[in-house]
Every structure is written in C-alpha cells, then in structure tokens.
C-alpha cells in the first residue's frame, strides 16, 4: 500500500467525514432517487433466484437495505470500523440481520476466495482509492464467471464537471489540488479529518481496464445528472434539481453529459 492510500484510509476511518457525507447525501429527496436506482439495478441483475451479492464499500448499508427487498444474500463490507458500527445499528433497526452479513474488509486485499459472488455493487467507492486498479482487480477476482459488477462513479466529462472546474479556475476559487491522470480528474483536498481524494472517473479508461480484466460492458446509463443540489441552501432550487435528476434517470438516461454514471459489467 502506498503512502497516499495509507493517509486516505486514516481519514476515512474517522466518523466525521462519513457524518458529513450522510448529512449532504442521505436526504429525503436523494432517497427517492436511490429507490429508483436500486430498483433498476435489481431488475437488471435478474434476482429470480437467490444470488450472492457483495456490497463493496457499504457505508451504513443504505444500498444493501434497499437490495434486501429483493432476492439477494448480501455481504456488506467496509474497512472503517466506525462506519460498520453504524451499519450494524442500521441493519438491526430495519430487521435485516438475516439478509445482510457485515464484515470488515479492505478493497485492496479482499479475504474472499476467487469467484465467490454472483453480483457486486460498488457505489461511489473507487473514487476515493488512489490504487484504483488494484481495487478493480480484486472486485473482478471475487466475481463468478457470468456474474455482474455494478459501478456508480462521477463522470469527469460531465457538463457539471467541465463547467465547475473552468469557473473555479477562472475565479481563483479552486481550493483542491487537481491532478489529471489516465483514470480521471483527481481532486485532493485537506478536510478536518485529513487528506481526502475524490476522483471523477474517465469512463472510457474504466471500461477499457475492466475489458482487459475480462469484463464486458452490458449497460451504461446516467445516474443523477448533477449534484449541484448540494451547493444550494434554498429548498425550492434544491428540489427542482432533484426533480430534474429523477426525470433524467427515469426518462432520458443518456450518460455522456451526466455527472453520475451507472455501469453494469459481466464477467466472461
């Protein structure tokens, strides 16, 4: 593990950064989108029979709890002990202890045997991992042949990403260190909890690397068109953005200009 990975893991072990994310993204308006997105994913995964599913980087198990309504045997993993404590309380509060198994794991070195899971969900996790190719290879390793991998990441070529970066640079308000790499635009920031990486992925690179690892892209759709709702305190504006996001996801789904991208791969 390199020094950047170690420093970031130290940041992500602390509960403060996760509390900040929960307050920003686990809102009633966002919950309506997540309901739609997980229903779509579950339908694509064809859960007519019980399937083993890994929620890789589960956080407080928000997505696992939605998937528990479907026919999955879910193993939810995260490397942060503080997050898993909250996840356990969340799972217990929803009465899903028999459907969701919690386990402490690091995506850079999973303890599972090769070809363990029918499906894997990795939602908004790769963006925080410097050694992203190592994590990708681990996900592929533990996926069964014919199994599906679902990835949700921010798109570096989205309208939001391109405009915001240019505006911030023009106004001199870019607080993060921005590094363009083959995998995407990396935003390195100092938070109250420590150093934090948020990568907006190069979708073409991502699909190419997974193809080289033996995965074929089956489905590629937009997630949320924009996350600008997090920048507005005025509720009427925030709700309008959320409504547009749900419309784009439900009716349009074209991913090219959208910030959120959902990709479903199948292992050959």
């Amino acid at each position: 593990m390199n020094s950047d990975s170690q420093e970031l893991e130290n940041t992500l072990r602390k509960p403060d950064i996760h509390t900040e994310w929960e307050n920003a993204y686990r809102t009633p308006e966002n919950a309506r989108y997540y309901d739609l997105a997980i229903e779509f994913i579950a339908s694509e995964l064809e859960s007519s029979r019980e399937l083993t599913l890994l929620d890789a980087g589960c956080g407080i198990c928000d997505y696992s709890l939605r998937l528990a309504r479907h026919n999955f045997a879910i193993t939810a993993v995260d490397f942060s002990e503080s997050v898993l404590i909250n996840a356990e309380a969340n799972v217990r509060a929803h009465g899903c202890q028999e459907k969701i198994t919690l386990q402490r794991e690091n995506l850079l070195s999973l303890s599972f045997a090769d070809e363990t899971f029918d499906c894997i969900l990795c939602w908004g996790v790769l963006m925080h991992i410097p050694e992203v190719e190592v994590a990708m290879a681990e996900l592929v390793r533990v996926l069964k042949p014919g199994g599906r991998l679902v990835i949700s990441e921010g798109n570096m070529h989205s309208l939001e990403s391109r405009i915001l970066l240019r505006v911030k640079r023009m106004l001199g308000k870019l607080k993060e260190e921005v590094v363009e790499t083959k995998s995407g635009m990396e935003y390195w920031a100092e938070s109250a909890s420590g150093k934090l990486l948020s990568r907006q992925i190069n979708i073409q690179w991502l699909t190419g690397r997974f193809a080289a690892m033996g995965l074929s892209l089956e489905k590629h759709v937009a997630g949320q068109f924009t996350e600008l709702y997090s920048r507005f305190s005025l509720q009427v504006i925030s709700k309008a953005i959320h409504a547009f996001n749900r419309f784009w996801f439900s009716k349009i789904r074209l991913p090219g200009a959208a910030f959120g991208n959902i990709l479903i791969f199948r292992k050959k």
Side-chain angles (χ1 to χ4, degrees):
M1 182 183 296
N2 64 34
S3 58
D4 283 334
S5 290
Q6 187 62 61
E7 192 170 355
L8 282 164
E9 287 194 4
N10 291 337
T11 299
L12 294 172
R13 282 193 181 95
K14 300 172 184 176
D16 295 358
I17 190 67
H18 298 280
T19 300
E20 182 181 330
W21 287 339
E22 295 302 322
N23 291 337
Y25 296 106
R26 304 299 178 200
T27 64
E29 286 291 336
N30 253 340
R32 295 173 65 185
Y33 161 69
Y34 293 137
D35 285 342
L36 291 172
I38 296 301
E39 284 291 331
F40 164 75
I41 289 169
S43 68
E44 290 293 321
L45 296 181
E46 302 171 356
S47 55
S48 56
R49 60 182 179 86
E50 186 172 84
L51 300 174
T52 55
L53 184 141
L54 175 67
D55 185 353
C58 63
I60 63 168
C61 278
D62 195 54
Y63 308 119
S64 287
L65 287 167
R66 286 178 166 85
L67 287 165
R69 303 168 191 166
H70 303 274
N71 204 18
F72 297 106
I74 302 167
T75 300
V77 304
D78 206 292
F79 80 93
S80 171
E81 292 177 343
S82 61
V83 165
L84 288 173
I85 290 171
N86 292 333
E88 183 177 11
N90 201 18
V91 169
R92 190 175 298 278
H94 286 81
C96 288
Q97 302 95 309
E98 294 184 1
K99 296 182 178 180
I100 300 173
T101 300
L102 289 167
Q103 192 164 319
R104 188 166 182 262
E105 293 282 345
N106 190 318
L107 263 63
L108 296 177
S109 181
L110 295 169
S111 68
F112 306 109
D114 295 356
E115 302 177 1
T116 297
F117 297 98
D118 296 302
C119 311
I120 299 174
L121 173 69
C122 189
W123 187 295
V125 178
L126 295 178
M127 64 178 66
H128 300 303
I129 302 177
E131 297 171 82
V132 62
E133 289 191 66
V134 177
M136 291 165 64
E138 277 293 274
L139 295 175
V140 174
R141 180 183 67 78
V142 301
L143 185 64
K144 292 179 181 178
R148 263 75 166 275
L149 169 64
V150 182
I151 299 289
S152 177
E153 289 288 314
N155 171 19
M156 69 173 285
H157 294 300
S158 68
L159 196 61
E160 173 184 335
S161 299
R162 288 180 290 178
I163 291 176
L164 275 183
L165 181 58
R166 289 175 183 173
V167 169
K168 283 183 176 181
R169 280 175 169 165
M170 184 173 61
L171 297 178
K173 292 187 176 182
L174 192 61
K175 298 178 181 178
E176 308 97 332
E177 178 189 0
V178 182
V179 182
E180 185 170 1
T181 70
K182 60 183 180 180
S183 61
M185 297 294 290
E186 295 185 351
Y187 290 76
W188 293 85
E190 288 294 335
S191 71
S193 301
K195 181 181 285 188
L196 185 65
L197 165 66
S198 295
R199 180 190 299 102
Q200 295 170 8
I201 205 78
N202 180 338
I203 298 293
Q204 186 176 7
W205 175 86
L206 183 75
T207 56
R209 289 306 303 140
F210 273 134
M213 296 177 188
L215 301 190
S216 58
L217 181 63
E218 282 197 339
K219 185 84 68 170
H220 181 195
V221 300
Q224 289 188 318
F225 187 85
T226 177
E227 292 186 353
L228 286 177
Y229 53 78
S230 63
R231 299 177 179 271
F232 291 94
S233 57
L234 195 61
Q235 285 294 308
V236 65
I237 297 177
S238 178
K239 286 187 174 182
I241 294 172
H242 280 295
F244 178 77
N245 278 340
R246 290 193 298 273
F247 169 77
W248 192 272
F249 175 76
S250 299
K251 305 298 182 182
I252 309 297
R253 289 190 175 164
L254 295 176
F259 181 78
N261 273 214
I262 298 173
L263 302 98
I264 302 178
F265 298 90
R266 186 187 288 271
K267 188 172 182 179
K268 298 175 183 176

